[in-house]
Amino acid sequence: MPLSLSLSLKPAVMTENIRINNPNVKYTDTHIEAQYCYHTTAVRRDGDTLTVTPSVSELEFRTERHVPRLGVMLVGWGGNNGTTVTAAVLANRLGLTWRTKTGEQKANYYGSLFQSSTVCLGAGPDGKEVNIPFRDLLPMMHPNDIVFDGWDISSMDLGSAMERAEVLDWSLQEKLRPHMSHLRPRASIYIPEFIAANQAGRADNVLKGTMAEQVEQIRADIQDFRHSSGVDKVIVLWTANTERFCDLTAGVNDTAKNLLAAIQSGGEVSPSTLFAVASILEGCAYINGSPQNTFVPGAIELAVERNVFIAGDDFKSGQTKIKSVLVDFLISAGIKPTSIVSYNHLGNNDGMNLSAPQQFRSKEISKSNVVDDMVNSNPILYHNGEKPDHCVVIKYVPYVGDSKRAMDEYTSEIMMGGTNTIAMHNTCEDSLLASPIILDLVLLTELCQRVCVRPQGSETFQSFHSVLAILSFMCKAPLVPPGAPLVNAYFRQRACIENIMRACLGLPPQNHMHLEHKLQRGFLPRHDNRIYDNVATKRVLSNGYHASQQNGVCAHVVKEATIG
Amino acid sequence: FEPAVMTENIRINNPNVKYTDTHIKAQYCYHTSAVRRDGDTLTVTPSVSELEFRTERRVPRLGVMLVGWGGNNGTTVTAAVLANRLGLTWRTKTGEQKANYYGSLFQSSTVCLGPGPDGKEVNIPFRDLLPMVHPNDIVFDGWDISSMDLGSAMERAEVLDWSLQEKLRPHMSCLRPRASIYIPEFIAANQAGRADNILKGTMAEQVEQIRADIQDFRHSSGVEKVIVLWTANTERFCDLTAGVNDTAKNLLAAIQSGGEVSPSTLFAVASILEGCAYINGSPQNTFVPGAIELAVERNVFIAGDDFKSGQTKIKSVLVDFLISAGIKPTSIVSYNHLGNNDGMNLSAPQQFRSKEISKSNVVDDMVNSNPILYHNGEKPDHCVVIKYVPYVGDSKRAMDEYTSEIMMGGTNTIAMHNTCEDSLLASPIILDLVLLTELCQRVCVRPQGSETFQSFHSVLAILSFMCKAPLVPPGAPLVNAYFRQRACIENIMRACLGLPPQNHMHLEHKLQRGFLPRHDNRIYDNVVTKMVLSTGYHASQQNGVCAHLVKEATIG
């Protein structure tokens, strides 16, 4: 089956090649190797004195330069997110434009951290800051080059599913339909008790057989996709229905061994955990974009044993994302949020599924802890154990469709018993906000698979921990390794990604100090143009955006499709 | 008096940090990158500057003189400091309320020092990073064109709970502002009714009187250092005129000859000539080029403009958030109404114009940082409306609509209604401004290879965090983004302790295996021998809210 579109493709916006002019950074044909000083401090309390001991760990970061052909398999491919992200990549790849009543619209990736936001590299010769697209810091996959495939319990082809979603402009849908309608999801795992009963009507494309046989089929699907599409690497991402929480039961899902045994014997294992297990066994990173506890202890242990990345939970796209900004802002300004009330209504299939109590409960849990890290960071405002009141309501209102409404009230105590009240009404187009986050999740996961680190004194390089906490930025309820701090604060999370990517280039963390402009006299050397040898000889190799490769939006093609 | 919350003594256990009886001396590596473009390649050249930071440990007795002392901000900040100092509590219908400094960056927010032995992050009050004046120890004085005593002015302001006012009135009513400079054309005509406490004589004589007031306050109160802060009416903008206010010399000459010089510039000049830092909390262009030159010549700190307390503060968070998430704000519309005297003064077109200019540029740095979303020169629509609605008093309403373009032509609309109690939000910012200014006066830096220490630039850009329209030295980047501004303050204060910038990376938790040494308990000698000296909060000294006392007051 032909699987690649042969088009001459230009990126929609400028791209930058970056090279680091420093003897600590070496470019080989295959790798970027950077010597890095990682600073930490240890704090110890003696009575009323805190002793702060700074220390430096020397690390070597090694990043593979070759960007592989990436395939992404979506669970829930025919849903609003699945169709929207597929359509968006197709439209960008084809360079589509379409008319709206206010003019011509071009395809874009607005809302994607890597594609549409920038980072500051430093000062140019004129003293002005030089900002580059986030994706150009390191060699990263371009989303236009992703090959999509996936599963859905609804058999509807993606062209019809896009129409059902009511997300994209009609004139764009007309242009995309020929490309979308021959994409058809593979049959998925359906266990009715895990999702709302109201989903039964969509479930016409479901796997049969025992639980173990279904897991084997998912594995076979991944293998089939990998071989038929020619991708080098597959990442699986759950963007399907929110499931109810799964009981944590000793002997069933507490260890990897028990979990695998439970699958063989047909114990209580959720569809999302079955997908996670199948992915891990295939060596494919698995990302959970919904709130349920897919990653039961046994699933995490299995991922760690197999050195496979897992990440989640629940896309942070709308109301919670702003909450993780506003509450961080208030507390960091010394203002005390005392009550946070969030009302939501939405009318897409996610909303219909969440109208069932057990599924809503999963969502409620996912949304409830988002302010904890910020509250706990400030013992001036909050006594030990004190928290603001926090209430989340979600209602299903079909008329508003995918255009989710979030209404929040933040009441805060200010100086001398005063009150600050912020009421916010946020119209979030749900799938248009989530789709770029899906892309960011898979692109960052793929990058992390090419980065390894060797601490000084150690002989071997190690990878990131299987629980890929750097993806916290995109998740409402971040999954982190045992003992790791949970950070929900938006700007801290973003700084984490930026500074780790800078570390791969041997660049120190952003300090935002601008000291060279703050003293009476300048102290910096003149703009340094010396080129270190290693860099000069290797500069033919690009380390930024890599030219589009010959793949693209594609799929498990059912009919005699000739896309790609 | 005991501080309301815990305070921390910090000591840094590292040979690069030395504690002497008088100073904290820290060796610091400052990292920058120079970027050069060759065709489609950007060459990034990192470099390291070795700097020595030296911070005086002794915290002086600080006096603060407010221009507009009898206004809502002036009375509220004075009352808040008094109430905190006296440890007052008062009943409200929902229970007992304690005095606090909520909304103050230094008093009520925290910074992370690092993980403790249990691996959990240790957060300490921001003020405890370095020796800083405690606001309870500030001695206040000031000027106002209204002669009303501060007790009555507090009542006029309608800001504080009545039961608190009753407890404060005996302390407040003996404080009376000094006569101020009143030039009617600079503020709204509707302020004339308040102007019963004004200086007479020529412009030069009035400046001399302000200088005499500062000297009088310094001597009579026993403070070691005075900072002057404008929290009075917004003035209209001043024309920049060659020969009048373009140089320090011309400005001083214009004052002698009675040229067009605004009251706020006269206060700034008087302060600078007295060697007192001057902070402008209103939007007008107090700092004409001649005033800035004078400050640089005299090595005096100036900072401004316009307190960033409510709507603009949130805007500098939300727009930064949106653009940093790759979302494109296309329209920002801000409606405000307020009913305090600031609102009445701003109801005049020229004064509103000053405010509008101050509020208009707050998103520029963020927009310019993202050439993916915005073409060169492209900006979101941005509209600001302010209306005077007496009924709402000091309880300002800010209504904002942010419309943004998301993926594939989609739209995100955020409508926000924000009830900002204006003076309760501004007062802690006034405290942060003077406390940080005072700290900066005790910090100096010596680049490696240089023989002498230098101070911060006279234009104290580190105060940008608290200002709507930050004044920065020529050529310096203008940063409005809230979290970048906060990181700047935090990282510079950390540098004074030899601590590297916050990196937020948590790498030790992100790899397959840990790589950090065991929790390090070795104590370096220098620290042990010097540890009797506190580096953090300093015990309250025997001063406090005090003033140019008219009656036989004995507070202070």
Side-chain angles (χ1 to χ4, degrees), chain A residues 75-76 152-154 188-204 206 238-246 269-272 290-292 294 349-350 352-360 362:
Chain A
V75 190
D152 205 290
I153 58 170
S154 161
S188 192
I189 300 175
Y190 177 53
I191 307 180
E193 58 169 307
F194 279 94
I195 57 175
N198 60 34
Q199 298 298 307
R202 282 170 85 118
D204 64 354
V206 299
W238 177 279
T239 177
N241 273 318
T242 295
E243 297 173 334
R244 69 160 168 82
F245 259 57
C246 203
V269 185
S270 69
S272 66
S290 290
Q292 71 273 344
T294 298
N349 190 54
D350 183 29
M352 188 158 91
N353 181 58
L354 289 176
S355 64
Q358 284 190 309
Q359 284 68 35
F360 170 70
S362 292

Side-chain angles (χ1 to χ4, degrees), chain B residues 422-469:
Chain B
D422 211 14
S423 303
L424 292 177
L425 288 175
S427 292
I429 289 170
I430 290 174
L431 297 173
D432 288 335
L433 283 163
V434 298
L435 297 180
L436 184 54
T437 301
E438 193 288 315
L439 171 63
C440 288
Q441 291 172 334
R442 287 182 285 115
V443 173
C444 57
V445 182
R446 188 176 62 81
Q448 199 188 34
S450 167
E451 305 225 327
T452 53
F453 280 88
Q454 53 173 310
S455 176
F456 287 109
H457 191 280
S458 279
V459 177
L460 202 53
I462 192 176
L463 269 61
S464 297
F465 178 80
M466 295 92 176
C467 299
K468 275 198 195 72

Side-chain angles (χ1 to χ4, degrees), chain B residues 380-441:
Chain B
D381 294 341
H382 190 187
C383 176
V384 178
V385 175
I386 303 178
K387 290 292 170 190
Y388 176 54
V389 176
Y391 176 77
V392 301
D394 202 68
S395 186
K396 190 174 178 176
R397 310 296 205 273
M399 283 170 283
D400 295 74
E401 187 194 71
Y402 299 85
T403 312
S404 304
E405 189 178 336
I406 60 175
M407 201 179 71
M408 308 298 280
T411 305
N412 174 248
T413 306
I414 297 173
M416 180 183 264
H417 183 285
N418 189 353
T419 308
C420 309
E421 298 191 72
D422 211 14
S423 303
L424 292 177
L425 288 175
S427 292
I429 289 170
I430 290 174
L431 297 173
D432 288 335
L433 283 163
V434 298
L435 297 180
L436 184 54
T437 301
E438 193 288 315
L439 171 63
C440 288
Q441 291 172 334

Side-chain angles (χ1 to χ4, degrees), chain B residues 32-96:
Chain B
T32 53
S33 304
V35 185
R36 194 164 48 87
R37 178 183 292 281
D38 299 304
D40 63 349
T41 299
L42 290 172
T43 304
V44 182
T45 306
S47 66
V48 181
S49 306
E50 286 183 37
L51 305 175
E52 179 180 351
F53 279 80
R54 195 178 69 185
T55 308
E56 268 180 61
R57 301 181 69 178
R58 201 182 80 81
V59 175
R61 290 164 61 88
L62 175 66
V64 172
M65 299 187 83
L66 301 175
V67 191
W69 195 20
N72 287 20
N73 286 340
T75 55
T76 303
V77 72
T78 307
V81 166
L82 247 170
N84 274 282
R85 182 158 185 261
L86 298 168
L88 291 187
T89 61
W90 63 101
R91 272 295 300 206
T92 70
K93 63 183 176 186
T94 55
E96 188 170 75

Side-chain angles (χ1 to χ4, degrees), chain A residues 306-514:
Chain A
R306 305 276 173 141
N307 273 332
V308 174
F309 287 151
I310 55 173
D313 297 314
D314 208 4
F315 306 132
K316 185 162 84 168
S317 60
Q319 184 181 46
T320 303
K321 196 170 181 178
I322 288 198
K323 193 177 286 178
S324 72
V325 171
L326 271 185
V327 175
D328 188 25
F329 153 61
L330 291 166
I331 294 178
S332 76
I335 292 171
K336 179 181 180 177
T338 45
S339 150
I340 304 167
V341 186
S342 298
Y343 301 96
N344 300 261
H345 54 273
L346 72 170
N348 56 20
N349 190 54
D350 183 29
M352 188 158 91
N353 181 58
L354 289 176
S355 64
Q358 284 190 309
Q359 284 68 35
F360 170 70
R361 182 68 191 135
S362 292
K363 197 76 180 178
E364 193 179 36
I365 292 171
S366 165
K367 284 183 164 234
S368 65
N369 296 318
V370 67
V371 301
D372 289 0
D373 58 323
M374 303 165 246
V375 167
N376 292 335
S377 77
N378 194 321
I380 304 173
L381 298 178
Y382 298 96
H383 302 297
N384 198 6
E386 186 185 1
K387 287 184 180 190
D389 294 341
H390 190 187
C391 175
V392 177
V393 176
I394 303 179
K395 289 293 170 188
Y396 175 53
V397 177
Y399 176 77
V400 302
D402 202 68
S403 186
K404 189 173 178 176
R405 311 294 206 273
M407 284 169 283
D408 294 74
E409 188 195 72
Y410 299 84
T411 311
S412 303
E413 189 177 337
I414 60 175
M415 200 179 73
M416 307 299 279
T419 305
N420 174 247
T421 306
I422 297 174
M424 181 183 265
H425 183 285
N426 189 354
T427 308
C428 308
E429 299 193 70
D430 210 14
S431 303
L432 292 177
L433 288 175
S435 292
I437 289 170
I438 290 175
L439 297 173
D440 289 334
L441 283 164
V442 297
L443 298 179
L444 184 54
T445 301
E446 192 288 312
L447 172 64
C448 288
Q449 291 173 333
R450 286 183 285 115
V451 173
C452 57
V453 182
R454 187 175 63 80
Q456 201 187 34
S458 166
E459 304 224 327
T460 54
F461 280 88
Q462 53 173 309
S463 176
F464 287 109
H465 192 280
S466 279
V467 177
L468 202 54
I470 191 176
L471 269 62
S472 297
F473 178 80
M474 295 92 175
C475 299
K476 274 196 195 75
L479 188 72
V480 298
L486 193 64
V487 176
N488 287 296
Y490 172 90
F491 284 99
R492 290 190 73 186
Q493 291 175 330
R494 191 179 191 276
C496 173
I497 298 174
E498 180 178 3
N499 287 336
I500 288 180
M501 286 177 67
R502 288 173 61 94
C504 295
L505 295 169
L507 295 175
Q510 291 283 15
N511 61 48
H512 303 296
M513 290 163 76
H514 292 305

Side-chain angles (χ1 to χ4, degrees), chain A residues 17 38 41 44 50-51 111 118 307 332 334 377 419 421 423 425 427 429 462 465 490 516 518 520-521 529, chain B residues 9 30 36 42 103 110 113 299 324 326 369 411 413 415 417 419 421 454 457 482 508 510 512-513 521:
Chain A
N17 292 316
Y38 177 62
T41 46
R44 194 164 48 88
L50 289 171
T51 303
T118 55
N307 273 332
S332 76
S377 77
T419 305
T421 306
H425 183 285
T427 308
E429 299 193 70
Q462 53 173 309
H465 192 280
Y490 172 90
E516 61 276 26
K518 288 201 166 61
Q520 288 174 311
R521 296 179 296 280
N529 286 337
Chain B
N9 293 315
Y30 178 62
R36 194 164 48 87
L42 290 172
T110 55
L113 270 188
N299 275 331
S324 76
S369 76
T411 305
T413 306
H417 183 285
T419 308
E421 298 191 72
Q454 53 173 310
H457 191 280
Y482 172 90
E508 61 278 23
K510 288 199 168 62
Q512 289 174 309
R513 296 179 296 280
N521 286 337

Side-chain angles (χ1 to χ4, degrees), chain A residues 8-24:
Chain A
S8 80
L9 297 164
K10 286 187 190 168
V13 287
M14 85 285 190
T15 61
E16 307 280 10
N17 292 316
I18 316 296
R19 64 193 176 97
I20 308 301
N21 177 29
N22 190 286
N24 290 329

